[in-house]
Amino acid sequence: MTSSPGSKSMLDCIYIKITCETGSYLNVDTNTCDLCQENTFSPGGTSFCIKCPKFMASPAGSTTMANCVYDPCRAGEFYRLKQKRVCLVKPILTEKGVFA
């Protein structure tokens, strides 16, 4: 809400509504629309992002729960469907061009 200099009552205030687009939320501390973080989503028009269900993940800026996909692994791991369905550590390329 805003008011003019010299205002004496709430009636002098003007309500400003900020509506955020899908994939973002209204940050009430800064009155700006911020992108939803990874593993969350927002259909828009809210002041929060909704967390994906357990073992589900989504990219930043997701707009619906349909963006949440099965991902039981921790950061730095990937899910392998073809064999035993296990989480494997992502290989890291060293300076010498060798995977660690």
Side-chain angles (χ1 to χ4, degrees):
M1 293 181 40
T2 61
S3 63
S4 302
S7 298
K8 296 184 177 159
S9 79
M10 288 292 286
L11 296 174
D12 295 330
C13 296
I14 301 168
Y15 180 72
I16 298 174
K17 183 177 180 182
I18 299 172
T19 304
C20 298
E21 294 182 13
T22 59
S24 61
Y25 69 99
L26 176 61
N27 182 326
V28 295
D29 294 329
T30 61
N31 283 329
T32 59
C33 294
D34 291 347
L35 198 64
C36 288
Q37 296 179 355
E38 289 182 348
N39 308 325
T40 65
F41 65 94
S42 173
T46 64
S47 59
F48 58 92
C49 294
I50 302 164
K51 193 172 185 177
C52 288
K54 190 174 185 177
F55 301 120
M56 305 284 273
S58 68
S62 292
T63 59
T64 69
M65 192 184 320
N67 297 127
C68 300
V69 295
Y70 184 64
D71 183 11
C73 302
R74 296 177 300 192
E77 296 180 335
F78 67 97
Y79 188 64
R80 185 168 202 158
L81 289 170
K82 291 183 180 180
Q83 294 178 345
K84 295 183 180 181
R85 296 183 180 202
V86 296
C87 295
L88 302 171
V89 176
K90 289 182 182 176
I92 300 170
L93 192 60
T94 64
E95 290 179 16
K96 295 179 182 179
V98 179
F99 287 104

